[in-house]
Amino acid sequence: MGGREPRAQRPTGAALLGPLRGAAQSAGERWPAPGHASGKQRRGLGGGRRPQQVIMVSIPEYYEGKNVLLTGATGFMGKVLLEKLLRSCPKVQAVYVLVRHKSGQTPEARIQEITSCKLFDRLREEQPDFKEKIIVITSELTQPELDLSSPIKQKLIDCINIIFHCAATVRFNETLRDAVQLNVLSTKQLLSLAHQMTNLEVFIHVSTAYAYCNRKHIEEIVYPPPVDPKKLMDSLEWMDDGLVNDITPKLIGDRPNTYTYTKALAEYVVQQEGAKLNTAIIRPSIVGASWKEPFPGWIDNFNGPSGLFIAAGKGILRTMRATNGAVADLVPVDVVVNMTLAAAWYSGVNRPRNIMVYNCTTGGTNPFHWSEVEYHVISTFKRNPLEQAFRRPNVNLTSNHLLYHYWIAVSHKAPAFLYDIYLRITGRSPRMMKTISRLHKAMMLLEYFTSNSWIWNTENMTMLMNQLTPEDKKTFNFDVRQLHWAEYMENYCMGTKKYVLNEEMSGLPAARKHLNKLRNIRYGFNTILVILIWRIFIARSQMARNIWYFVVSLCYKFLSYFRASSTMRY
Ligand SMILES: NC(=O)c1ccc[n+]([C@@H]2O[C@H](COP(=O)([O-])OP(=O)(O)OC[C@H]3O[C@@H](n4cnc5c(N)ncnc54)[C@H](OP(=O)(O)O)[C@@H]3O)[C@@H](O)[C@H]2O)c1
């Protein structure tokens, strides 16, 4: 099923690359008419799926003159992909982004806002006119025909060369109906549009490494689906929401949520319906802040681990169910994007016989564990605190059921309860218990992923890396063996502070002072607690007093013994 063997081998040696690169460059001087593969591509592949001779072009050369369609451009990965594609492949013809109306904003206004944000600073500096290449198409992917008007649809059919399908609902607690609608049905609709495209070269589907998280060992193949997606979609049409929700746990079986379940179904749809297209599936694990590009630590949302890191930094998250030794398979967003762009290049140039699946993970080559995540998050936020922290950062990860519930009661609920009382007394409305309940819900959704480990084969990722020219290896680096986790985690945490919470670095001294104040409050609180315990138990009970004197005299004897033995040595 999974195509690991490319149809044509990459020619080796600079002898071949040198002169062809020159020829490609001169061909690139002429912009090809929209909707047509570039001259280079046609010469290289002969327009067929099984080339006799493959001419390798670099990644930027491959994208030269191409029209790219991107879904999910307003999302976390989509915007990083858009920026990187425009910046590192400056001769790309145009990027058509399918965007829906949201919160009263038009798709154009949304893209305008996104491209004006910090993520695009570097691109704006390097290519001030980059926005001219972004063509915004209004599209609600769950609507019939993707909600595209006939002329626009025809335009896409005529001109698109490469599709990146990033849009999805990534909410773990999405209803099955909504998850199927977006993750499966819209993928099916996009594939059907892709089939009509006359110049399409590659269809890239972004999936997740957890699509088959019910397996411990995950290869780079599409596994049989848990249910026939068509039958499921037919059934959902006549079932009411109550019934759908009732049968959801039975349907998803040993998967933890509707997200992973529907992503597995989508992969099957891509495999079945994309058989005649040149298709590749990218499966990232847990996508985190950027490693290097456009600058280290860029992140703009609370999703997944970022929200937990912030909660830990604020001192609200004190415990979580996790296996300390389990692999935390984080992968930086720029690694995923670089690999996605390279995978499209590889499929476009080589036309592999079968669908290519890439597990885009770090655990196999550069493992990092949840205990290490905890250590680095806490130490970073102790050195560089978040503003107005609730308590000093400290987290206990545990897989022990009793300990977990103990810490939840003592470290989460009790302080939140006391703080809410304080807020009431001072005439403000209580809010901490609500925050804690929201945090617990988020933790519950994530604990499956922090308590288990998986093994992913990453041979295709390695193969792809080996295909890149030395220059592309630098520009589109996805070699996670080079990732230094301590440095990455520090940048990640600082990224949450700067780009998610919009806190200024100039506020650090005040934040540190606040943390010292919290430490003094804790010392004061603990002293009062000890005195109270003394008053209640020791002063009132003879037995407690006897135990107390016994412990004190034992300590005294130990001290005297050590003092005596250390004096004897001199
Ligand atoms: N983030 C991760 O950790 C992770 C890990 C593994 C795989 N992935 C995969 O990577 C891809 C991108 O994820 P992400 O983290 O970037 O997600 P995200 O930030 O939630 O973005 C999702 C994108 O899909 C769009 N979308 C959702 N519903 C739509 C609809 N009905 N019509 C049109 N567009 C719609 C969203 O547009 P709006 O802005 O209009 O909502 C947004 O642009 C997904 O396929 C996901 O499964 C992500």
Side-chain angles (χ1 to χ4, degrees):
M1 261 192 259
R4 206 160 287 123
E5 285 305 312
R7 180 83 190 129
Q9 293 300 312
R10 173 188 168 78
T12 52
L16 179 57
L17 279 172
L20 288 170
R21 187 81 52 80
Q25 266 155 9
S26 58
E29 302 290 302
R30 294 171 275 117
W31 282 115
H36 294 277
S38 70
K40 267 180 302 182
Q41 174 69 18
R42 271 190 252 114
R43 275 201 310 283
L45 298 174
R49 292 231 335 140
R50 295 186 174 197
Q52 294 303 309
Q53 185 202 6
V54 174
I55 294 175
M56 292 304 281
V57 291
S58 70
I59 297 178
E61 284 169 352
Y62 172 67
Y63 284 98
E64 195 175 317
K66 298 282 161 69
N67 287 303
V68 175
L69 184 144
L70 170 63
T71 69
T74 51
F76 174 44
M77 261 182 65
K79 56 183 99 155
V80 179
L81 194 148
L82 179 63
E83 191 272 346
K84 175 70 180 175
L85 175 62
L86 292 169
R87 181 163 49 82
S88 296
C89 305
K91 290 191 176 169
V92 66
Q93 174 97 327
V95 185
Y96 291 74
V97 291
L98 301 193
V99 183
R100 58 177 168 174
H101 287 264
K102 201 172 183 183
S103 315
Q105 261 192 317
T106 62
E108 287 79 9
R110 295 186 68 197
I111 290 295
Q112 178 63 29
E113 191 177 307
I114 285 168
T115 51
S116 307
C117 79
K118 190 163 169 58
L119 175 69
F120 286 78
D121 279 0
R122 200 170 145 188
L123 175 61
R124 203 173 304 114
E125 209 169 277
E126 289 174 19
Q127 300 172 43
D129 299 331
F130 77 93
K131 284 185 192 169
E132 285 168 13
K133 287 191 183 162
I134 304 174
I135 299 170
V136 183
I137 307 278
T138 304
S139 171
E140 168 56 68
L141 298 179
T142 52
Q143 291 302 305
E145 306 276 318
L146 307 171
D147 208 16
L148 298 172
S149 67
S150 295
I152 291 196
K153 192 172 149 195
Q154 194 54 50
K155 167 85 184 149
L156 297 178
I157 289 173
D158 291 341
C159 81
I160 294 300
N161 304 118
I162 301 159
I163 296 180
F164 292 105
H165 180 35
C166 281
T169 169
V170 298
R171 287 177 54 183
F172 287 176
N173 54 353
E174 193 71 86
T175 63
L176 184 64
R177 188 187 297 285
D178 289 347
V180 167
Q181 275 244 297
L182 184 58
N183 295 351
V184 189
L185 190 64
S186 61
T187 303
K188 198 174 155 66
Q189 295 206 79
L190 193 62
L191 282 161
S192 131
L193 179 67
H195 274 290
Q196 300 168 53
M197 291 179 176
T198 41
N199 292 295
L200 187 72
E201 292 168 23
V202 192
F203 184 103
I204 300 285
H205 172 75
V206 181
S207 181
T208 163
Y210 297 100
Y212 302 97
C213 58
N214 52 335
R215 293 170 176 266
K216 282 286 162 208
H217 191 144
I218 300 156
E219 306 218 27
E220 290 171 306
I221 58 172
V222 176
Y223 290 98
V227 62
D228 180 352
K230 189 177 171 334
K231 282 190 184 148
L232 177 63
M233 284 186 278
D234 290 345
S235 319
L236 289 177
E237 272 189 12
W238 62 261
M239 284 187 207
D240 64 28
D241 287 348
L243 187 53
V244 174
N245 293 343
D246 286 348
I247 62 164
T248 298
K250 279 230 160 66
L251 278 174
I252 64 173
D254 50 4
R255 281 185 176 75
N257 52 44
T258 54
Y259 170 67
T260 53
Y261 180 75
T262 52
K263 288 300 265 188
L265 296 183
E267 280 198 7
Y268 182 71
V269 167
V270 171
Q271 190 204 36
Q272 295 297 302
E273 313 216 349
K276 289 198 184 119
L277 303 170
N278 192 14
T279 318
I281 294 177
I282 314 292
R283 288 188 189 146
S285 43
I286 304 169
V287 185
S290 62
W291 172 24
K292 290 183 179 171
E293 286 193 279
F295 42 84
W298 184 81
I299 177 89
D300 74 341
N301 61 69
F302 288 88
N303 293 348
S306 312
L308 295 181
F309 296 170
I310 291 172
K314 287 274 184 192
I316 299 170
L317 177 83
R318 316 286 295 180
T319 187
M320 187 163 170
R321 220 195 286 262
T323 306
N324 280 293
V327 172
D329 213 298
L330 291 172
V331 59
V333 64
D334 47 342
V335 165
V336 183
V337 161
N338 287 345
M339 206 187 111
T340 306
L341 292 171
W345 159 83
Y346 180 79
S347 285
V349 173
N350 287 285
R351 306 258 163 164
R353 196 202 315 255
N354 297 318
I355 186 168
M356 293 294 293
V357 180
Y358 298 90
N359 285 342
C360 184
T361 57
T362 53
T365 43
N366 188 358
F368 189 55
H369 303 92
W370 286 108
S371 57
E372 296 171 281
V373 173
E374 178 215 298
Y375 172 78
H376 289 291
V377 171
I378 297 306
S379 71
T380 302
F381 283 134
K382 274 188 177 158
R383 275 179 283 119
N384 306 293
L386 297 180
E387 286 171 16
Q388 293 303 314
F390 176 60
R391 292 178 70 189
R392 272 177 76 79
N394 186 26
V395 174
N396 286 295
L397 296 184
T398 177
S399 50
N400 182 303
H401 187 74
L402 280 180
L403 262 183
Y404 171 72
H405 284 285
Y406 167 77
W407 286 120
I408 286 284
V410 170
S411 283
H412 282 186
K413 292 189 175 164
F417 180 72
L418 291 178
Y419 188 67
D420 276 356
I421 292 178
Y422 164 75
L423 287 178
R424 268 182 217 276
I425 292 170
T426 52
R428 287 172 283 176
S429 53
R431 56 165 200 272
M432 212 46 178
M433 280 307 265
K434 257 191 208 155
T435 308
I436 287 289
S437 313
R438 278 214 306 273
L439 177 69
H440 287 172
K441 272 188 198 146
M443 280 162 50
M444 262 165 55
L445 295 174
L446 292 174
E447 62 190 30
Y448 175 85
F449 301 94
T450 53
S451 303
N452 292 294
S453 284
W454 290 265
I455 298 167
W456 286 277
N457 275 17
T458 52
E459 283 159 29
N460 284 347
M461 193 174 174
T462 311
M463 177 281 296
L464 183 61
M465 205 145 48
N466 292 335
Q467 300 292 312
L468 304 190
T469 64
E471 195 56 36
D472 283 349
K473 270 189 186 151
K474 276 192 230 147
T475 316
F476 300 90
N477 186 9
F478 54 90
D479 186 354
V480 290
R481 287 169 303 183
Q482 300 167 9
L483 189 68
H484 185 257
W485 283 111
E487 189 186 332
Y488 173 71
M489 285 307 297
E490 173 153 357
N491 288 332
Y492 192 162
C493 293
M494 295 314 288
T496 60
K497 178 175 171 69
K498 286 189 272 187
Y499 313 120
V500 182
L501 301 174
N502 291 318
E503 292 184 7
E504 295 291 338
M505 295 306 280
S506 56
L508 264 180
R512 287 195 187 112
K513 240 186 203 169
H514 179 71
L515 225 54
N516 286 344
K517 198 171 97 186
L518 288 175
R519 187 196 48 202
N520 295 341
I521 291 176
R522 197 189 63 183
Y523 286 161
F525 182 80
N526 287 352
T527 313
I528 292 170
L529 207 67
V530 168
I531 293 169
L532 276 178
I533 290 171
W534 169 262
R535 292 288 303 157
I536 294 166
F537 293 104
I538 314 264
R540 290 190 186 173
S541 140
Q542 183 59 44
M543 198 167 88
R545 256 200 310 272
N546 291 345
I547 293 171
W548 174 251
Y549 292 138
F550 176 72
V551 171
V552 170
S553 67
L554 211 63
C555 290
Y556 181 73
K557 272 179 196 159
F558 262 113
L559 275 177
S560 318
Y561 171 76
F562 282 121
R563 209 179 294 154
S565 58
S566 64
T567 336
M568 265 159 58
R569 248 185 267 147
Y570 296 105

